[in-house]
Amino acid sequence: MKQVWLIAKRDFFTFMLSPTGFLLLAAYLVISGYVFAADLSTSREASLQYVFSTFGIISILLIPLLTMRLISEEVRTGTFEVLVSAPVQDWQIIVGKFLAGWMSFLMLSAPTFSYLFILEIWGEPDWSMALCGYLGQQLLAILLVALGLCCSAATVNQVLAGMSAMVLGLLWATTHELRYSLPDSFGEWMAYFSIFHHYALFRRGIFDSRAVLFFVIGAGMLLFLAVRLIESRRWKTATVPNAVASLPRYSRLTTMVSALALILLMECVISRFSRGIWSGYNTSLLLASGGLAGFVLWRNRIRVAAALAKKRSGLALIVCANCGLIVAIWFFILYLSYFYYFRLDLTGSKTYEISELTRNVLTRIETPVDIVVTITKPSDLVMKIENLLDDYASRSAWLKRHYIDPAQSPAEMDYWREKLQLSGPLSEEILIASGEKYRRIPQAALVQNKILQVVEGRRILGPAYFVGEIEITSVLLHLTRAQPGKVVFLSGHGEKNPEAAGDAGLSHIVQELQNANWVVQHSIIMPGGNPRFSEDTQVVVIAGPRQAITAEEVNSLRQVLDRGGGILFLPEPGFDADLVSWLDTWNIRLNNDIVADFQSHLAGGDASVLYVHRFDSRHPIGRSMERQAAVLPAARRIGVNLTTPNPSVYATNFMHTSGSGWALEFKESGPLQLDSQRDRKGPISVGVAAERYQSFADPGHDPMQGRMVVIGDSDFCTNQYVELAGNADLFLNCVEWLAGRHDLLSIRPKRAEIFTLALTAKDVKLIYWWSMILLPGAAISAALFLNYKWRKAK
Amino acid sequence: MTETYAIQMNRVSRYYGARPGIVDVTATIREGRLVGLLGPNGSGKTTTIRLLTGYLPPSEGEVRVCGYDVFEESLEVRKRIGYLPENCPLYPEMRVIDYLRWIGELKGITGSELDTAIFQSLGQCGLDGMTDRVIGHLSKGYRQRVGLASILLFRPPVMILDEPTIGLDPLQAREFRRLIETLRGRHTIILSSHILTEVEMLCDEILIVSEGRLVTQGTPDELKKQVRPLYRLCCKRHSSYASLLPVLTSAVPDIRIEEYTEGEEGIYLRMRTVESDPRELLFQRCAETGIVILEMGKEEITLEDVFVEWICRSREPSETAEMNEVNR
């Protein structure tokens, strides 16, 4: 290893102590600094994922400039002869050169680490995601350094080495673009073979064992190839056989058959692109063409053998055989890794980890499902869809993906339209079909805007984020579940309106319920009327009643419970709807107070806008919310009756504030006032779930007679707040638990969490100065200084 | 017996595709000899050297250095060989001391041993006081010395110098020769060169290669003895060269005129014969025909004569073959 380090050290220091090295550094910093500052000033997003996206392209263009001289320059100047006449093995030279190239790139990319600290100054970046991005950048670098080294070993011309590494890198990085023009499975493999396909995972915060293997083994393969290339000068070669000279000219039959094979091959390719699908016709053309080519080779076997025996052809054959073997091994490992892998979501919010719900839904699929994607741009969205579906497909063998470019494959579009008898033509969308049932997700539905803040009732929208998992999982749920459930929203007592689209309405959560295959009904009761809930009603939601609920109505609710249904009761502070005594029989105690948490509350709101992240994992709802939080704007305390409990009811408080929470005296208006003598100190329970059994002897096995969940706030599920933190999950998980659908009691697919920075114009200017002027300026100064020193040196 | 030979080449050939680099070369070099490798451009000198250093493998035959096969035991050979390629390639951005330290460590010398080796080789090559200079700023002569110092570091049993004095001014070349002179006997040195006087001055033994073949090998004196002597003749200028030639050939039928010039005083001729000394016969014949001889003598044979003679001999068959080809 000492020899390796000696070679690496010399090349590395030569590069880094030369003006050229620092000029390259300056160029790299100017480009990446510009991308960073420009991206930050427009999106204000505390994330480097778009910067990393640009890093990918820069690396492909820049790394060949680092590697092109490594071997070709030494061969050209003759120092390579000195090197190989020393007692050093060829692999030591290659590994040393590789380390030098990689260390040079590390030096170039090290200053960009300061971007993360800039984000830290003005906001809270997702460190684990950013570090995953840096890991991806370095893995990309090792592959590209190895590729550049290979090109440098193949030619003595530096420019040629650099250009070929760039072109090969670009081609390799973009093979996923071929996905739409090739038959399904082949297209998928071409996408899997793409550098950017794997690199994109890292920059988005996903650590995937397949991507790591792709880069590491790919680099290993290229280094092996480079060793073979420099070793090839030592291969023993034979002299030229004279057999070829005595052979007659190519016969007319050979010429004609070759031409025919070529024509068939061309027809195969042309028909594939003109008709848009790969059919049996194409396969037979390909086979016929291959057969004719085989015939030509067999007829000219002596000539082929003679050509192979020629020195150059012989060498080429050996190199090709070596390359072929190594590439085959690499493909085999990639193939295995495609099926056996692990994936870690390193984003702070676990954005890309496939949700528990999706996992549950996928394991329940037992019929073939076709997913047809006709979206071709923007590429970032397409990549997200591809990654998501890759993950889906790896978990369920029933899923089959089809990527179609509408412009290139109209025939395939027609095929799906006719098969499913679609009403309109397919546009840019995702079509999911199972048997004759299908659902369509338009492109626009895959992207939504995140609510950043709620200021005086107005929602401030952030950048668009990807909700593909929510949409696709919802469709899968619809297509694969036999019976939808039914939720009824009680109204007539001043409850929140499930049909209203305004801030106080519940239309968003209703949409979520429908996505989760619930039929939602709105039960309007005139004052004095007696509601009757149909037999199939599984859950009744009472969201923030402001008037008393009559005894008849309570009776109707009891019937729902007696049938084994559930009630989700969300009382607001100050309004108990005359249900206190009934709830008492369920061991649930309503307290007339308001909860405040002076430490754990939503930024920008007062202490009563609770940020609840303590859930009791012993309860299924609490367990499902363990890694999440809920925002409750103005909640009351919900307690468990422990003094005279009803023995057939088992009530658990499953969510509570932190120790710094207080239950304050409720006042209609005015600021919150803490009286530490009078008020109760936290943790304060704000949600209770209760189950009633025929007896309490064996709670786990007795027939259950209804469930009830009471949460001391109803605003959390309104349109204004439902998208904050895990509010939607809290609501949906309560409904699923009440209906006894434990398998779907899970964390739903999440939106990409976006951390934003609050930047003033001055801050932006400062960031521009740092990343575009100061950092590159320092590099240029170093280059000038080294140049001066070089000229002054004796 | 193997150990007494530093280098053994047994029926070695190397082809570059169809083109032969060297063909069927068999040679041995004893330890401690300073051997000159001579040949015109493209004759196979560099190929021979590359085969000895293990940079290229032979297409056929076997090459052994210090008893080790250069192909099979390449690392062992490389530990015992110091190679200074043509034009002395060095890393121009490095300082002399850094380069020597780097190459020393690469060759496996470390610690105080390396310091001593650097100190000694710097002194040997006259590089004291140049240690902190950047190689790229050194003159050609000093760069050659740095190259030599880098191979002297580890005292290799075999040193191969490919055209080491090319591009040096006469003074630098002389100093370089002195330097090599000091190494005589301690190392087996192979010196490839175009400069015949240099080889003649330095070498114990000479190998001449031409057209990829080893045409001869021996000490300078042995080689000189193999060459037919050259005679000079100056006749008074009253007859033309055309009239003079038949007179000379009639006296000595196998005479070959190598060179003639018509000067102020007369005609100057340089000639060879296949066998005996022709001077007596020529004198008699000239006296008979009235040709006045101003000067006649036997010339001292130089290495250049040896070289030209052997190169001409090696080319003769191929020239004949070429002529035949043209005529056909």
Side-chain angles (χ1 to χ4, degrees):
Chain A
M1 282 312 285
K2 197 183 160 216
Q3 317 289 68
V4 171
W5 173 240
L6 277 170
I7 291 166
K9 195 174 72 172
R10 200 208 70 76
D11 273 292
F12 172 65
F13 283 113
T14 301
F15 178 71
M16 281 325 292
L17 296 178
S18 70
T20 328
F22 278 93
L23 282 179
L24 263 183
L25 175 64
Y28 184 70
L29 289 176
V30 166
I31 300 171
S32 56
Y34 173 75
V35 174
F36 170 67
D39 179 57
L40 208 60
S41 63
T42 51
S43 76
R44 306 276 153 115
E45 207 178 293
S47 139
L48 290 176
Q49 64 162 309
Y50 296 103
V51 182
F52 279 126
S53 156
T54 318
F55 277 173
I57 285 282
I58 303 177
S59 304
I60 287 180
L61 300 178
L62 181 110
I63 289 177
L65 299 181
L66 300 180
T67 54
M68 64 184 192
R69 64 188 175 87
L70 283 176
I71 292 175
S72 55
E73 170 76 355
E74 293 226 21
V75 174
R76 194 183 61 78
T77 58
T79 46
F80 192 69
E81 255 182 274
V82 178
L83 198 58
V84 294
S85 67
V88 185
Q89 307 264 26
D90 288 342
W91 69 264
Q92 289 174 321
I93 296 175
I94 288 296
V95 175
K97 298 274 175 191
F98 164 76
L99 282 180
W102 185 27
M103 289 193 300
S104 305
F105 181 76
L106 261 178
M107 278 297 292
L108 291 196
S109 56
T112 63
F113 210 67
S114 67
Y115 300 162
L116 203 47
F117 290 96
I118 289 179
L119 297 183
E120 182 65 32
I121 294 171
W122 279 282
E124 285 181 10
D126 189 337
W127 275 80
S128 52
M129 179 182 167
L131 291 177
C132 185
Y134 278 110
L135 172 71
Q137 188 192 14
Q138 293 311 322
L139 284 171
L140 174 71
I142 64 166
L143 185 70
L144 293 175
V145 169
L147 177 67
L149 198 57
C150 229
C151 292
S152 187
T155 169
V156 290
N157 186 334
Q158 270 198 69
V159 180
L160 191 63
M163 293 299 287
S164 52
M166 271 184 213
V167 171
L168 288 175
L170 277 174
L171 285 177
W172 193 359
T174 50
T175 54
H176 60 277
E177 299 288 344
L178 291 171
R179 182 171 238 180
Y180 294 94
S181 4
L182 295 167
D184 283 341
S185 53
F186 188 54
E188 247 164 59
W189 276 103
M190 285 313 283
Y192 191 62
F193 184 67
S194 153
I195 291 179
F196 278 169
H197 172 85
H198 294 279
Y199 176 63
L201 293 174
F202 288 102
R203 74 177 168 83
R204 285 162 46 213
I206 304 167
F207 178 91
D208 192 311
S209 63
R210 291 176 292 187
V212 175
L213 278 179
F214 175 85
F215 286 117
V216 174
I217 300 193
M221 170 192 79
L222 288 168
L223 289 182
F224 176 84
L225 221 57
V227 174
R228 302 303 276 166
L229 277 170
I230 66 162
E231 212 180 62
S232 63
R233 71 177 192 284
R234 292 214 187 106
W235 286 340
K236 291 214 177 199
T237 52
T239 48
V240 186
N242 293 320
V244 186
S246 59
L247 283 177
R249 289 170 63 84
Y250 289 105
S251 72
R252 192 172 292 169
L253 181 67
T254 301
T255 318
M256 281 169 62
V257 175
S258 306
L260 186 61
L262 199 65
I263 290 168
L264 292 182
L265 187 67
M266 280 168 66
E267 165 60 9
C268 171
V269 174
I270 292 168
S271 68
R272 160 67 187 86
F273 285 102
S274 60
R275 290 164 64 243
I277 47 171
W278 182 271
S279 62
Y281 174 66
N282 298 72
T283 313
S284 44
L285 281 179
L286 192 65
L287 286 176
S289 166
L292 291 178
F295 172 73
V296 170
L297 287 178
W298 179 77
R299 234 184 104 78
N300 292 281
R301 59 193 179 278
I302 298 171
R303 198 185 296 273
V304 171
L308 291 181
K310 259 188 184 177
K311 183 245 171 188
R312 281 182 194 284
S313 324
L315 262 189
L317 188 74
I318 294 166
V319 173
C320 286
N322 267 282
C323 298
L325 184 69
I326 289 302
V327 172
I329 293 171
W330 185 58
F331 266 114
F332 181 67
I333 295 172
L334 280 190
Y335 180 77
L336 282 185
S337 75
Y338 185 77
F339 299 103
Y340 305 100
Y341 71 99
F342 67 92
R343 187 179 254 210
L344 295 176
D345 183 353
L346 294 179
T347 55
S349 52
K350 303 288 166 215
T351 314
Y352 298 107
E353 200 165 89
I354 238 179
S355 71
E356 208 179 321
L357 175 69
T358 305
R359 285 203 291 269
N360 288 343
V361 170
L362 288 172
T363 49
R364 281 154 46 110
I365 294 177
E366 282 169 356
T367 50
V369 175
D370 289 299
I371 302 182
V372 182
V373 181
T374 59
I375 300 167
T376 52
K377 55 182 179 285
S379 56
D380 197 45
L381 175 68
V382 174
M383 201 165 265
K384 282 175 181 164
I385 296 172
E386 286 172 359
N387 270 319
L388 184 67
L389 292 183
D390 285 350
D391 217 345
Y392 274 51
S394 66
R395 284 165 199 277
S396 172
W398 293 102
L399 294 189
K400 191 149 171 44
R401 294 159 288 165
H402 312 271
Y403 293 91
I404 306 173
D405 184 343
Q408 284 189 21
S409 318
E412 248 182 288
M413 303 280 277
D414 291 342
Y415 167 79
W416 285 104
R417 207 173 64 200
E418 280 161 26
K419 185 180 176 191
L420 297 167
Q421 298 186 333
L422 302 180
S423 48
L426 277 163
S427 57
E428 302 257 303
E429 60 186 282
I430 298 178
L431 171 79
I432 303 180
S434 171
E436 288 179 357
K437 292 192 285 182
Y438 69 88
R439 291 222 173 195
R440 299 164 74 166
I441 307 169
Q443 181 177 351
L446 295 169
V447 179
Q448 281 180 19
N449 287 81
K450 172 84 177 168
I451 301 169
L452 292 182
Q453 272 177 307
V454 184
V455 178
E456 294 166 0
R458 280 189 313 113
R459 280 179 290 167
I460 298 171
L461 296 180
Y465 58 92
F466 179 60
V467 289
E469 194 188 348
I470 301 175
E471 294 293 329
I472 295 168
T473 301
S474 154
V475 169
L476 289 176
L477 205 58
H478 277 102
L479 291 178
T480 54
R481 179 189 265 184
Q483 280 293 316
K486 186 172 173 183
V487 181
V488 177
F489 279 78
L490 190 71
S491 61
H493 316 87
E495 289 96 337
K496 302 276 185 308
N497 184 355
E499 284 165 6
D503 281 348
L506 302 176
S507 61
H508 288 189
I509 196 69
V510 167
Q511 180 62 49
E512 295 270 4
L513 280 169
Q514 284 165 346
N515 280 348
N517 204 18
W518 284 93
V519 173
V520 179
Q521 216 174 54
H522 186 187
S523 157
I524 303 165
I525 302 164
M526 299 311 287
N530 190 6
R532 287 191 188 283
F533 298 101
S534 57
E535 292 276 316
D536 59 349
T537 302
Q538 286 174 292
V539 177
V540 178
V541 180
I542 312 169
R546 303 214 156 219
Q547 291 153 20
I549 292 175
T550 62
E552 289 81 17
E553 286 161 355
V554 171
N555 265 335
S556 301
L557 291 171
R558 279 203 178 108
Q559 285 167 13
V560 173
L561 291 170
D562 292 344
R563 285 198 299 267
I567 288 174
L568 176 59
F569 183 37
L570 310 170
E572 284 286 315
F575 303 97
D576 52 27
D578 277 359
L579 294 179
V580 176
S581 54
W582 182 49
L583 290 177
D584 240 13
T585 65
W586 276 79
N587 295 347
I588 298 171
R589 181 159 291 168
L590 288 188
N591 296 285
N592 195 19
D593 46 21
I594 183 159
V595 183
D597 194 325
F598 294 95
Q599 278 182 10
S600 184
H601 60 264
L602 193 68
D606 69 13
S608 68
V609 186
L610 303 177
Y611 187 76
V612 182
H613 54 88
R614 301 195 171 193
F615 293 91
D616 189 341
S617 61
R618 286 169 296 183
H619 192 271
I621 301 177
R623 194 159 52 243
S624 71
M625 294 296 292
E626 233 178 347
R627 294 205 316 239
Q628 305 216 71
V631 175
L632 305 185
R636 66 194 294 167
R637 181 158 66 99
I638 311 292
V640 177
N641 177 13
L642 298 171
T643 46
T644 52
N646 177 352
S648 64
V649 173
Y650 179 70
T652 322
N653 112 46
F654 67 89
M655 62 189 288
H656 52 82
T657 68
S658 69
S660 58
W662 288 85
L664 311 176
E665 189 185 16
F666 176 70
K667 286 193 293 187
E668 284 289 340
S669 58
L672 298 171
Q673 277 182 342
L674 172 67
D675 180 345
S676 56
Q677 298 295 321
R678 177 198 64 202
D679 297 332
R680 188 189 173 99
K681 195 173 183 315
I684 308 291
S685 158
V686 286
V688 170
E691 293 167 275
R692 191 177 61 182
Y693 297 91
Q694 279 180 343
S695 74
F696 200 61
D698 189 3
H701 295 92
D702 273 7
M704 194 188 61
Q705 282 200 322
R707 287 174 163 175
M708 193 183 294
V709 172
V710 182
I711 296 172
D713 177 49
S714 66
D715 293 324
F716 81 92
C717 58
T718 57
N719 295 346
Q720 187 177 349
Y721 292 103
V722 76
E723 286 175 27
L724 292 181
N727 283 10
D729 279 336
L730 176 62
F731 187 94
L732 292 166
N733 284 344
C734 288
V735 171
E736 300 284 5
W737 180 74
L738 288 168
R741 305 205 304 198
H742 285 259
D743 57 337
L744 297 178
L745 193 67
S746 49
I747 300 165
R748 271 154 196 78
K750 300 219 0 178
R751 291 114 178 121
E753 198 70 45
I754 296 163
F755 299 88
T756 49
L757 304 175
L759 294 175
T760 62
K762 199 177 154 195
D763 297 336
V764 171
K765 205 179 273 179
L766 210 63
I767 290 171
Y768 263 103
W769 263 90
W770 171 257
S771 51
M772 283 194 63
I773 312 285
L774 285 176
L775 279 183
I780 291 174
S781 312
L784 290 175
F785 173 72
L786 284 172
N787 195 35
Y788 169 77
K789 245 191 112 181
W790 172 254
R791 280 170 182 276
K792 289 285 280 181
K794 287 183 286 178
Chain B
M1 293 304 285
T2 318
E3 60 272 15
T4 55
Y5 291 109
I7 288 165
Q8 291 163 291
M9 297 176 82
N10 187 18
R11 306 201 60 133
V12 178
S13 302
R14 167 75 203 191
Y15 295 92
Y16 298 100
R19 191 170 61 81
I22 61 167
V23 183
D24 201 19
V25 170
T26 301
T28 50
I29 295 170
R30 275 181 293 150
E31 276 178 5
R33 305 281 279 179
L34 212 165
V35 179
L37 185 63
L38 292 181
N41 287 332
S43 58
K45 294 193 298 293
T46 303
T47 301
T48 310
I49 286 174
R50 286 184 167 173
L51 290 172
L52 292 176
T53 57
Y55 185 76
L56 292 175
S59 305
E60 286 159 18
E62 181 193 50
V63 183
R64 284 183 172 272
V65 174
C66 301
Y68 295 100
D69 186 293
V70 287
F71 189 67
E72 304 292 338
E73 298 151 302
S74 171
L75 270 190
E76 292 302 320
V77 170
R78 281 186 270 167
K79 279 179 194 164
R80 287 164 177 78
I81 219 164
Y83 174 39
L84 187 65
E86 197 180 340
N87 296 324
C88 187
L90 299 167
Y91 298 106
E93 68 286 340
M94 289 179 99
R95 291 187 309 156
V96 172
I97 184 77
D98 295 336
Y99 178 71
L100 292 181
R101 190 166 288 281
W102 181 76
I103 209 105
E105 287 180 2
L106 204 62
K107 299 268 186 185
I109 319 169
T110 47
S112 58
E113 195 190 340
L114 179 61
D115 291 335
T116 319
I118 290 176
F119 177 75
Q120 284 177 353
S121 61
L122 283 172
Q124 248 178 319
C125 300
L127 283 168
D128 306 297
M130 308 294 278
T131 50
D132 286 332
R133 295 281 295 269
V134 176
I135 292 173
H137 291 174
L138 292 178
S139 68
K140 176 103 186 166
Y142 272 110
R143 262 185 276 171
Q144 294 285 62
R145 289 176 191 218
V146 174
L148 194 63
S150 73
I151 57 172
L152 284 176
L153 272 181
F154 67 108
R155 315 260 152 226
V158 177
M159 283 167 64
I160 298 176
L161 315 175
D162 194 359
E163 316 236 356
T165 51
I166 199 164
L168 298 187
D169 67 39
L171 223 59
Q172 287 173 327
R174 198 169 68 179
E175 282 190 38
F176 198 81
R177 280 197 296 272
R178 259 186 218 155
L179 190 58
I180 291 173
E181 192 66 50
T182 61
L183 304 171
R184 184 194 293 278
R186 285 183 280 174
H187 307 265
T188 307
I189 301 175
I190 295 177
L191 186 76
S192 150
S193 182
H194 272 134
I195 304 164
L196 302 171
T197 47
E198 182 178 280
V199 175
E200 193 171 6
M201 273 188 270
L202 287 171
C203 299
D204 310 324
E205 203 172 326
I206 291 166
L207 273 74
I208 297 177
V209 285
S210 174
E211 310 273 297
R213 289 172 192 277
L214 176 66
V215 288
T216 187
Q217 177 182 4
T219 62
D221 289 337
E222 282 169 0
L223 292 184
K224 281 179 191 168
K225 278 181 195 155
Q226 292 168 6
V227 176
R228 289 163 293 180
L230 203 62
Y231 300 94
R232 64 175 185 279
L233 176 71
C234 180
C235 305
K236 199 170 177 184
R237 192 180 168 79
H238 69 264
S239 57
S240 69
Y241 174 65
S243 60
L244 186 61
L245 195 61
V247 177
L248 299 179
T249 46
S250 63
V252 188
D254 62 346
I255 199 162
R256 200 172 81 188
I257 311 294
E258 298 283 335
E259 195 185 321
Y260 86 91
T261 42
E262 294 187 24
E264 287 269 320
E265 290 186 349
I267 299 168
Y268 294 88
L269 294 164
R270 299 179 80 203
M271 58 211 153
R272 275 203 173 95
T273 53
V274 175
E275 284 176 9
S276 57
D277 190 339
R279 281 179 289 186
E280 199 178 329
L281 288 172
L282 284 178
F283 180 78
Q284 284 174 358
R285 189 73 187 131
C286 286
E288 284 166 22
T289 51
I291 294 169
V292 180
I293 295 173
L294 296 177
E295 195 183 332
M296 185 150 69
K298 188 176 176 184
E299 292 212 332
E300 192 69 26
I301 291 176
T302 62
L303 192 60
E304 188 179 332
D305 299 322
V306 176
F307 183 74
V308 172
E309 171 78 13
W310 277 106
I311 298 305
C312 290
R313 275 196 217 171
S314 74
R315 281 182 181 169
E316 268 162 16
S318 63
E319 274 167 13
T320 320
E322 267 172 38
M323 287 305 291
N324 292 343
E325 195 71 22
V326 172
N327 292 339
R328 201 187 295 165

